[in-house]
Amino acid sequence: MNKDLFLREFMDEIWNKKNLDKVEQYLHKEYTIHLDPTDPWEGKTLSHSEFIHRMQSASFGPFPDMNFEITSTIEDEHHVAATWVLTGTNLGNIGDIPPTNKAIETRGMTIYHFKDGLINGHTQIFDRTTVMKQLGFI
């Protein structure tokens, strides 16, 4: 299995095209967020429906045009590490904070974990401070 290609397809179909009906094609039935500072789901294992809820509420709600560009990947037996550029426009509430209508661009790195040929979690770090500055919160 070419995990690099599989991950790129996942990022395009799920994150960029928002085809959440395809989640089961890419994600293991248990998806664990191993490390993702300030993510309220950090340390939790999500079902497919919980993963979709997380995407709809925390990602696509505030940033409906969210888009990831993969800039590099490294693959090993059970992981694919990807660096990326995230862009989007804040058109929906972030919690109780109304939209700013401001565009963001930030960078990060995610290590995706694989099990049984599917993605079953991630370890992630990205520059949320830059996002907060671009939105005018700090």
Side-chain angles (χ1 to χ4, degrees):
M1 171 187 189
N2 183 332
K3 288 186 290 300
D4 177 282
L5 180 58
F6 187 83
L7 176 67
R8 288 174 185 270
E9 288 175 8
F10 163 73
M11 294 300 292
D12 189 47
E13 284 294 327
I14 304 302
W15 286 97
N16 294 341
K17 294 179 181 172
K18 321 295 187 262
N19 289 327
L20 297 177
D21 58 322
K22 295 186 177 184
V23 162
E24 291 183 25
Q25 294 176 19
Y26 296 98
L27 295 189
H28 192 273
K29 64 182 177 179
E30 294 180 342
Y31 185 95
T32 303
I33 301 170
H34 298 277
L35 171 68
D36 195 346
T38 73
D39 186 326
W41 288 274
E42 180 176 7
K44 295 181 180 173
T45 299
L46 309 177
S47 66
H48 289 145
S49 61
E50 290 168 322
F51 182 87
I52 290 168
H53 171 72
R54 176 178 178 265
M55 300 282 290
Q56 291 171 327
S57 63
S59 299
F60 302 150
F63 298 94
D65 64 344
M66 176 181 279
N67 188 76
F68 281 92
E69 176 191 346
I70 304 270
T71 53
S72 68
T73 58
I74 300 172
E75 178 181 337
D76 75 10
E77 186 177 353
H78 299 289
H79 305 89
V80 175
T83 59
W84 42 261
V85 177
L86 165 64
T87 57
T89 310
N90 178 220
L91 300 175
N93 286 4
I94 300 173
D96 294 333
I97 301 169
T100 64
N101 299 313
K102 294 181 179 180
I104 61 157
E105 180 176 318
T106 193
R107 298 175 183 276
M109 188 204 57
T110 306
I111 300 170
Y112 287 94
H113 305 247
F114 281 75
K115 180 179 178 181
D116 302 327
L118 297 170
I119 302 166
N120 78 318
H122 76 258
T123 301
Q124 177 170 267
I125 194 82
F126 76 95
D127 187 1
R128 286 185 168 103
T129 301
T130 292
V131 171
M132 293 294 124
K133 286 179 183 175
Q134 291 170 352
L135 294 176
F137 298 146
I138 56 176

